[in-house]
């Protein structure tokens, strides 16, 4: 049976829950808000299926170093609302248009982050944009298996540990499922995100829209954008945005993220996706229009049979080692656990997000001045020129 002795031993992928034949495992949140499996010993029959599918105990085998591709969707609407090059959203659109289904991360009606089964084209926009929170998977793995066994064309996108867990749970290779993982920084807890959303709505009214990586100031100026039903809009980078600051200071990640066993170039997914910040450095003559590109590590050719990639994307073959060294170092190296991590969630529980951030890494008046200056430069149309000079 699954018996978690240290929080660093579990990635929260839910493979064990879905594999249990008697439904005697449930995910429960710890004091930090991260979910871990708990076994009902009165029901457990020691079949060990939960252990066999755990990707931490049984890491799936990976292949050789993959080729790398620089890509961007040809769909301008998708590109505009995507974090980088819009690769997965475009793949999802094509699959659903052909009668298939996709599983990806969305915000629910309360702005909580969860995996959702999508079979209608009108719901595809929900997939766009990064959500820097550990998603609620629920019973998604079993739904994926039902769809795959029914012969549907399926795509699943998640963190490397989620994809590895799903791969183990499925138990064999299926030709009709495309597995997409992403280069993951680490995941904060749903509890932190809920506390932040509650704070936002108490201060500004009901939330209408949120984007962790808005392109409002351009692709190269990462800002978090929040819009409220009363028309108020706020934009801030990790310099002034509370949630972004917690994320980029690395104090909020799940414990296993600091020693992630899935940080490898070769992976069990069919493709791995991540930001192509240095696109012009990979392709001679390519201009940086500040709209974003995605780097794809191609672990299999399967995505080429799922959609017409030449029709859907702008594509360039690039050097994989250069891509990893310039933009994908997080693919192979975990973030360091900062000293503040030991007290962060205790302070959050006691004092709330505002006082916690103010205590650990205070936001100054100067920080707010810089943010306002960036907005002014954007309005004047010179922000991108400044970024190019810095690069």
């Amino acid at each position: 049976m699954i018996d978690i002795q240290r929080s660093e031993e579990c990635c929260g992928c839910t493979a064990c829950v879905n594999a249990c034949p008697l439904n005697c495992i449930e995910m429960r949140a710890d004091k930090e808000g991260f979910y871990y499996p708990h076994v009902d010993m009165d029901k457990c029959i020691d079949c060990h299926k939960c252990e066999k599918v755990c990707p931490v105990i049984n890491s799936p085998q990976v292949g050789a170093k993959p080729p790398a591709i620089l890509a961007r969707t040809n769909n301008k609407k998708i590109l505009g609302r995507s974090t980088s090059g819009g690769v997965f959203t475009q793949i999802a659109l094509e699959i659903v248009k052909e009668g298939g289904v996709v599983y990806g991360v969305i915000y629910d009606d309360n702005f909580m982050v969860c995996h959702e089964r999508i079979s209608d084209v009108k719901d595809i926009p929900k997939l766009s944009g990064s959500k820097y929170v550990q998603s609620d998977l629920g019973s998604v793995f079993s739904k994926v298996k039902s769809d795959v066994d029914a012969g549907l064309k399926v795509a699943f996108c998640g963190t490397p540990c989620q994809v590895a867990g799903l791969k183990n749970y499925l138990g064999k290779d299926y030709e009709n499922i495309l597995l997409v993982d992403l280069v993951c920084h680490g995941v904060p807890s749903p509890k932190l995100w809920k506390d932040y959303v509650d704070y936002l709505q108490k201060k500004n009214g009901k939330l209408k829209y949120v984007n962790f990586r808005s392109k409002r100031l351009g692709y190269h100026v990462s800002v978090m954008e929040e819009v409220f039903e009363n028309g108020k809009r706020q934009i801030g980078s990790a310099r002034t945005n509370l949630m972004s600051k917690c994320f980029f200071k690395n104090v909020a990640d799940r414990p296993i993220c600091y020693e992630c066993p899935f940080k490898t170039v070769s992976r069990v997914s069919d493709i791995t996706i991540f930001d192509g910040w240095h696109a012009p450095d990979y392709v001679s003559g390519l201009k940086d229009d500040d709209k974003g590109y995605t780097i794809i590590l191609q672990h299999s050719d399967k995505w080429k049979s799922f959609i017409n990639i030449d029709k859907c994307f702008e594509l360039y073959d690039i050097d994989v080692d250069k891509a990893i060294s310039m933009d994908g170092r997080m693919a192979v190296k975990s973030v360091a656990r900062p000293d503040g991590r030991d007290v962060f969630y205790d302070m959050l529980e006691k004092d709330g997000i505002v006082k916690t951030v103010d205590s650990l890494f205070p936001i100054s008046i100067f920080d707010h001045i810089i943010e306002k200056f960036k907005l002014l430069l954007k309005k004047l149309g010179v922000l991108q020129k400044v970024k190019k000079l810095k690069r």
Side-chain angles (χ1 to χ4, degrees), residues 112 193-203:
M112 294 300 101
W193 175 239
K194 184 179 185 304
D195 286 354
Y196 178 66
V197 170
D198 289 345
Y199 156 76
L200 279 182
Q201 297 193 126
K202 183 177 180 180
K203 179 182 178 183

Side-chain angles (χ1 to χ4, degrees), residues 2-228:
I2 288 289
D3 183 19
I4 307 301
Q5 296 295 320
R6 299 170 57 245
S7 56
E8 290 84 0
E9 296 173 351
C10 177
C11 61
C13 74
T14 74
C16 58
V17 176
N18 287 271
C20 180
L22 297 181
N23 298 315
C24 65
I25 306 177
E26 67 172 341
M27 301 295 287
R28 297 179 189 171
D30 69 356
K31 66 178 183 179
E32 296 181 345
F34 293 108
Y35 285 81
Y36 294 86
H38 288 262
V39 181
D40 184 339
M41 295 306 299
D42 292 332
K43 295 181 180 179
C44 180
I45 57 174
D46 281 329
C47 67
H48 301 291
K49 289 185 178 180
C50 55
E51 297 167 62
K52 292 175 182 176
V53 299
C54 174
V56 178
I57 297 174
N58 303 286
S59 298
Q61 292 186 343
V62 298
K65 184 184 293 185
I69 301 168
L70 185 70
R72 179 159 77 178
T73 176
N74 291 323
N75 186 313
K76 293 182 179 180
K77 287 185 178 180
I78 289 178
L79 180 62
R81 59 177 178 252
S82 296
T83 297
S84 48
V87 167
F88 180 68
T89 305
Q90 184 66 58
I91 290 172
L93 175 62
E94 298 304 310
I95 290 174
V96 171
K97 279 165 56 176
E98 295 177 3
V101 297
V102 297
Y103 290 83
V105 179
I106 69 162
Y107 297 110
D108 68 13
D109 292 339
N110 296 313
F111 282 92
M112 294 300 101
V113 177
C114 60
H115 262 79
E116 185 72 34
R117 179 185 190 271
I118 290 180
S119 59
D120 194 321
V121 169
K122 69 177 177 60
D123 293 324
I124 294 295
K126 296 178 182 179
L127 297 170
S128 293
S130 299
K131 288 94 173 172
Y132 293 152
V133 184
Q134 183 156 40
S135 63
D136 182 359
L137 278 161
S139 59
V140 158
F141 282 10
S142 61
K143 292 178 181 178
V144 170
K145 190 174 190 306
S146 294
D147 284 335
V148 174
D149 286 339
L152 291 175
K153 185 179 284 188
V154 179
F156 176 93
C157 182
T159 59
C161 56
Q162 290 173 335
V163 171
L166 176 58
K167 181 94 170 181
N168 280 1
Y169 169 73
L170 291 175
K172 65 177 184 179
D173 290 328
Y174 289 84
E175 286 303 313
N176 57 321
I177 184 168
L178 183 72
L179 297 177
V180 181
D181 71 0
L182 44 89
V183 169
C184 177
H185 166 284
V187 288
S189 79
K191 173 181 170 58
L192 169 62
W193 175 239
K194 184 179 185 304
D195 286 354
Y196 178 66
V197 170
D198 289 345
Y199 156 76
L200 279 182
Q201 297 193 126
K202 183 177 180 180
K203 179 182 178 183
N204 301 295
K206 188 169 177 58
L207 191 61
K208 181 181 179 181
Y209 168 84
V210 63
N211 190 335
F212 272 85
R213 288 268 304 280
S214 171
K215 291 179 180 176
R216 184 165 289 273
L217 301 186
Y219 172 62
H220 290 284
V221 184
S222 181
V223 293
M224 190 161 181
E225 179 180 10
E226 297 128 359
V227 181
F228 302 87

